[in-house]
Amino acid sequence: MAFPSTYTVGITSLGYQIVWATLAMRSDLDVRRLFTDQSDPPHRQCDLFGLSLSWELDGPVLLDLLEQQRIPIWSEQRSDQDPIVFGGGPVLTANPEPLAPFFDVILLGDGEELLPSFIDTLQEVRTESRSVRLRRLAQVPGIYVPSLYAPSYGNDGCLQSIDPIEADLPATISKQTWRGNSLSHSTVITPESAWPDIHMVEVVRSCPELCRFCLASYLTLPFRTPSLDDGLIPAVEKGLVATRRLGLLGASVTQHPQFADLLSWLGHDRFEDVRVSVSSVRAATVTTELASGLARRGSKSLTIAIESGSERMRKVVNKKLSNEEISAAARHSKEGGLHALKLYGMVGLPSEQEADVESTADLLLQLKKTTPGLRFTLGVSTFVPKAQTPFQWQGVRPEADKRLKRLAKRLKPKGIDLRPESYGWSVIQALLSRSDRRLAPVIAAVRGSQESLGGWKKAYRSSRAGELPGARSGGVDLPLPPPWEQVVHDNWDEAVVLPWDHLNGPLGRKTLLKHQSLSLAGAAPTVQD
């Protein structure tokens, strides 16, 4: 079971830990872990090779790991003697197509739901040929076998459909959703992780706010919360036997209906030496009591996502948050004894104007002025369209690069810690997020030491010119990829066939289009903006 990064990074992934532990608890499996810098002792015979993928830019690392294990990187080239290569995680659940030619099997959705049926089915046909095993797996809900689905393209180079190659295969595959009372918590606690000796507990899954760009919200619907007494408290107690550091995780942990009760329970004297940290919280839920409770348990800061300092833009993305609530969150954080507030925002969102970016700078400077003594950090990224969200039809806006620089010019001299994500790598992220299988030869070309911004662009130009080795997938020779601009920057027509149309997420196309329409209907800037 591999992770496409170092042990220090990979072991902090709660998703990876849960998949590994779920497999390791089975008596019919012998599971070994593999990271880019270390591994457990290898098997004499490897039947399965799995990868957990939560970040688009980690995709090419899969190929390096396969080559290290002497496994052919292209699924079409594997024989009965090679392992079945499977993968899962948010990137592959949203749009697996760019990486599909490298995987035999992709699990769409929650591992808690999918892994048992995946392994049980494989055990039933373990002695059969590879083709029989794959065809049997393709009948299991949520399991996608890319080689059994063929893409077709029109004379104009546009994707027309991705269809099963045999009549008895399902035409579409649906994401599977875990609906158990408990969510996940750490199964490994180690001083060698990026967050040393921390026990992580998933407090919520998904987010009820439905910001139109947000994969963490839309892909993982419905919003789920384990009960306090039967889910959260037992999960916390397990970890505190081994460590006194607790991390409460989720897209918006304070929206758990019993979060205040959880903090109150953690306020007991027996937890006096426990250090508690939380991931992103909704600004409107920040109170002095919340901040004080976290400060008493060792937290120094809070993290809130504001998306933009412009109220107009927050309405566009469905961020139900006012400037007054953001200011109140800062004030409550300081009054509660916290020392810093980390905010996350974006540039390049659909319909964004220069004035909206100036509003973000204005808001941060106003917060610093009205809340002296509180340190402010703004993490800011470029909008990247994600599959299975309402803004999947929107492209990356080239002006975002200048807008990142504009924020830096206004905020850094005033003592705001600005942490911008690379515009260039956001563009590559969008390329991986929106492409189909025609990107696979490019991914193969950039793996290893050539993986750089320039390397990606050079490889894409070479692929467009027909200079890269050809590839087959689903029994089809893959044609040349579409123009770079079309994939990365263009706003797509609502009728276009999407590479992931044959894969059903939580919400259908009509609903996502409705959400996009609602957001952009009032997107025209006002005179005041």
Side-chain angles (χ1 to χ4, degrees), residues 26 28 34 39 44 63 168-169 203 291 311 321 390 432 442 451 508 522-523:
R26 293 185 64 119
D28 56 350
L34 174 66
S39 66
R44 285 179 298 172
L63 309 190
D168 62 340
L169 294 168
V203 176
E311 297 223 7
L321 183 63
L432 286 155
V442 177
E451 193 183 341

Side-chain angles (χ1 to χ4, degrees), residues 45-66:
Q45 168 68 31
C46 180
D47 301 303
L48 289 171
F49 182 97
L51 184 88
S52 179
L53 196 63
S54 54
W55 180 238
E56 285 93 348
L57 298 176
D58 284 338
V61 182
L62 163 69
L63 309 190
D64 298 328
L65 294 170
L66 290 174

Side-chain angles (χ1 to χ4, degrees), residues 150-371:
S152 60
Y153 301 90
N155 293 331
D156 58 357
C158 291
L159 181 68
Q160 291 184 322
S161 66
I162 298 179
D163 301 304
I165 62 174
E166 296 170 2
D168 62 340
L169 294 168
T172 60
I173 305 96
S174 297
K175 171 191 174 285
Q176 301 299 293
T177 302
W178 169 251
R179 297 176 185 271
N181 177 52
S182 62
L183 296 179
S184 59
H185 60 80
S186 292
T187 57
V188 177
I189 299 170
T190 171
E192 297 178 35
S193 72
W195 301 330
D197 295 317
I198 194 165
H199 176 60
M200 298 175 288
V201 175
E202 188 181 15
V203 176
V204 299
R205 190 171 294 182
S206 191
C207 175
E209 295 307 300
L210 294 181
C211 293
R212 304 311 190 201
F213 58 82
C214 184
L215 187 68
S217 180
Y218 274 88
L219 186 67
T220 55
L221 286 170
F223 181 58
R224 283 154 286 165
T225 59
S227 69
L228 180 67
D229 294 331
D230 299 331
L232 288 180
I233 286 178
V236 170
E237 293 271 25
K238 274 186 182 178
L240 294 185
V241 174
T243 184
R244 306 307 277 177
R245 287 197 65 193
L246 176 65
L248 304 177
L249 305 186
S252 186
V253 294
T254 50
Q255 287 184 270
H256 190 292
Q258 296 174 292
F259 189 78
D261 297 328
L262 176 62
L263 269 192
S264 176
W265 177 73
L266 287 169
H268 292 160
D269 289 346
R270 68 188 178 103
F271 300 122
E272 190 170 346
D273 61 336
V274 173
R275 182 181 172 190
V276 178
S277 57
V278 299
S279 58
S280 184
V281 304
R282 186 170 177 242
T285 64
V286 178
T287 62
T288 302
E289 292 73 26
L290 171 70
S292 177
L294 292 172
R296 284 197 303 271
R297 289 295 170 257
S299 286
K300 305 293 184 185
S301 66
L302 271 182
T303 301
I304 62 174
I306 62 169
E307 317 317 343
S308 173
S310 160
E311 297 223 7
R312 183 188 75 84
M313 280 311 306
R314 290 200 295 274
K315 289 177 182 175
V316 168
V317 302
N318 198 41
K319 189 77 176 181
K320 297 173 278 289
L321 183 63
S322 68
N323 281 356
E324 289 75 20
E325 288 171 318
I326 298 170
S327 297
R331 187 173 65 252
H332 293 320
S333 296
K334 183 184 178 184
E335 290 171 350
L338 297 174
H339 303 298
L341 188 64
K342 301 175 183 177
L343 302 97
Y344 281 103
M346 282 188 180
V347 295
L349 285 159
S351 87
E352 179 189 78
Q353 308 293 316
E354 293 285 350
D356 299 312
V357 181
E358 296 294 342
S359 293
T360 299
D362 292 341
L363 175 63
L364 266 292
L365 295 174
Q366 182 66 21
L367 290 173
K368 185 173 175 61
K369 181 180 178 181
T370 56
T371 327

Side-chain angles (χ1 to χ4, degrees), residues 386-405:
K386 301 285 187 175
Q388 312 287 355
T389 71
F391 282 172
Q392 63 188 0
W393 291 275
Q394 302 292 315
V396 176
R397 298 178 64 182
E399 58 266 35
D401 194 16
K402 290 182 179 178
R403 292 177 181 176
L404 287 172
K405 294 181 174 69

Side-chain angles (χ1 to χ4, degrees), residues 99-167:
L99 292 163
F102 308 121
F103 281 99
D104 297 309
V105 171
I106 293 169
L107 309 184
L108 303 177
D110 293 333
E112 299 99 326
E113 191 74 20
L114 281 160
L115 287 168
S117 55
F118 171 55
I119 299 299
D120 289 346
T121 302
L122 261 181
Q123 292 288 33
E124 294 171 7
V125 290
R126 184 176 174 183
T127 59
E128 302 289 345
S129 66
R130 169 178 287 267
S131 62
V132 169
R133 282 178 284 159
L134 292 180
R135 278 165 173 76
R136 178 66 184 89
L137 285 169
Q139 302 292 341
V140 178
I143 293 184
Y144 176 42
V145 180
S147 63
L148 300 180
Y149 291 79
S152 60
Y153 301 90
N155 293 331
D156 58 357
C158 291
L159 181 68
Q160 291 184 322
S161 66
I162 298 179
D163 301 304
I165 62 174
E166 296 170 2

